[in-house]
Amino acid sequence: MDIYSSTLSPALDIFTGCYLLVIAVLSIVGNLLVLIMAVKRSSRMKPPELLSVNLAVTDLGAAVAMYPLSVAAAWNHHWLGGDALCLYYALAGFFFGVASIMNLTIMAIVRFVVSLNLQSPNEKIGWRKVKILCLWVWLYGLIWALLPVLGWGRYGPEPFGLSCSLAWGQMKHEGFTFVVSLFTFNLVLPSIIILCCYFGIAIKLFFTYKKSISNINRVPNNVKLHRRLLVIAVLISFGFIVCWTPYAIVSMWSILGDSSSIPPEVSLLPCMFAKSSTVYNPLIYYIFSKSFRREVKQLGSGCLGWGPCHASNTIKDNNISMSHAGDKSKADVLTTLQQFVE
């Protein structure tokens, strides 16, 4: 039996290839826009924002390094390149996935630390610390990606035959400790840390905001601010969990149960859903960041000949560093909190 032959119907293969092509285009365009905007406003960028840029790089890397191979394999009804490309694809997927999860975890921790110092402008996370954290994200992902190559864990083709990943069904015994460690340190603990950090930020901002506007009658704005805070906190906290949990469940079932009992079509769905995670963050920026949306529109209209093809460097609503709140006017406090939330 050819392990690299598609177990799906030709029609489903074509549909899968089209789906992955759309995901690839959206991911590449979206994350490139994030990087372009970051370059345009690099002189005004705050150190913690580098983590958002780093996250865009991981998502863009996954889209460029992996998705074209998946599209070609789907339309060919057979994996291309044999064992060598299978190892490359699986290693790249694992590497970028772990790096993204760790980046999101560190972002949550940094934002929580910043929120504890809302009234201490001198206690900020500097460029050196953020650069070290970004480097740690890549090193952490590389270490985990190399472990199966070194013998702890194993890479192999997916059950549906169109891509490669960790060979879950082959790690029932010799790779079980690897699977437990993987899920503990790259799903369970990051999820707990992210949830705790963002709930802590929500509580801290709630009391800071309540104290700042105690004498201002602007209930509609208050409600909007709290609603936006909760929406963004929930999206950031649960975004990657929602994308990757179905894949994790199917993978664990392959380890603990009978992997042959899972139809190829069923194993395909969580894999495709997980790949959509690279599109998620640019969409969030576009939907919830008014400045980012405005700059994207200006860039698009300029490049299409409707105006100057440039993006200004005045985007401020993505900053996650806070300035002194105690000495500001109440209107400035509201503006600052609005910038922090966005």
Side-chain angles (χ1 to χ4, degrees), residues 42-53:
S42 58
S43 61
R44 305 175 67 92
M45 184 181 295
K46 304 298 182 181
E49 294 179 79
L50 186 61
L51 291 169
S52 298
V53 177

Side-chain angles (χ1 to χ4, degrees), residues 202 223-239 280 284 287-288 341:
V223 173
K224 291 179 181 180
L225 185 59
H226 284 299
R227 182 179 60 186
R228 179 167 294 184
L229 168 63
L230 292 176
V231 168
I232 294 178
V234 169
L235 288 174
I236 294 176
S237 300
F238 291 101
Y280 182 80
I284 292 301
I287 294 173
F288 291 95
V341 170

Side-chain angles (χ1 to χ4, degrees), residues 116-135:
L116 295 178
N117 300 300
L118 297 182
Q119 299 182 4
S120 301
N122 294 327
E123 298 183 14
K124 295 181 179 180
I125 298 179
W127 284 106
R128 183 174 181 274
K129 291 182 180 179
V130 173
K131 290 178 181 179
I132 292 175
L133 290 175
C134 291
L135 180 62

Side-chain angles (χ1 to χ4, degrees), residues 202-222:
I203 294 173
K204 175 67 177 180
L205 285 182
F206 174 77
F207 287 107
T208 303
Y209 173 75
K210 186 177 180 180
K211 182 179 179 180
S212 301
I213 64 167
S214 57
N215 298 323
I216 298 178
N217 296 322
R218 298 181 63 179
V219 177
N221 289 337
N222 301 348

Side-chain angles (χ1 to χ4, degrees), residues 249-315:
I249 293 174
V250 173
S251 301
M252 285 300 296
W253 178 258
S254 300
I255 295 290
L256 302 176
D258 183 10
S259 59
S260 62
S261 63
I262 303 177
E265 293 80 5
V266 175
S267 64
L268 172 69
L269 292 176
C271 183
M272 297 298 103
F273 190 52
K275 292 182 185 300
S276 67
S277 63
T278 57
V279 184
Y280 182 80
N281 292 299
L283 287 177
I284 292 301
Y285 297 149
Y286 188 82
I287 294 173
F288 291 95
S289 174
K290 295 179 180 179
S291 295
F292 180 77
R293 184 167 60 250
R294 181 177 63 251
E295 294 293 332
V296 169
K297 291 180 179 179
Q298 290 177 356
L299 182 65
S301 61
C303 291
L304 290 176
W306 302 336
C309 185
H310 72 279
S312 68
N313 60 353
T314 58
I315 303 177

Side-chain angles (χ1 to χ4, degrees), residues 1-8 13 69-70 72-74 76-90 154-165 167 170:
M1 180 179 178
D2 186 359
I3 60 174
Y4 294 124
S5 179
S6 174
T7 58
L8 306 173
D13 280 340
L69 279 174
S70 295
N76 190 58
H77 312 299
H78 190 282
W79 177 252
L80 303 175
D83 295 337
L85 277 184
C86 181
L87 176 61
Y88 158 78
Y89 186 94
R154 182 179 300 179
Y155 290 127
E158 297 274 13
F160 48 86
L162 294 180
S163 64
C164 297
S165 181
Q170 302 178 27

Side-chain angles (χ1 to χ4, degrees), residues 6 12 24 27 34 39 41 63 73 90 92 99 112 135 137 144 162 182 206 208-209 211 233 237 290 308 337:
S6 174
L12 187 55
S27 180
V34 173
V39 171
R41 56 187 295 267
F112 179 73
L135 180 62
V137 166
W144 276 98
L162 294 180
L182 169 64
F206 174 77
T208 303
Y209 173 75
K211 182 179 179 180
S237 300
K290 295 179 180 179
L337 288 173

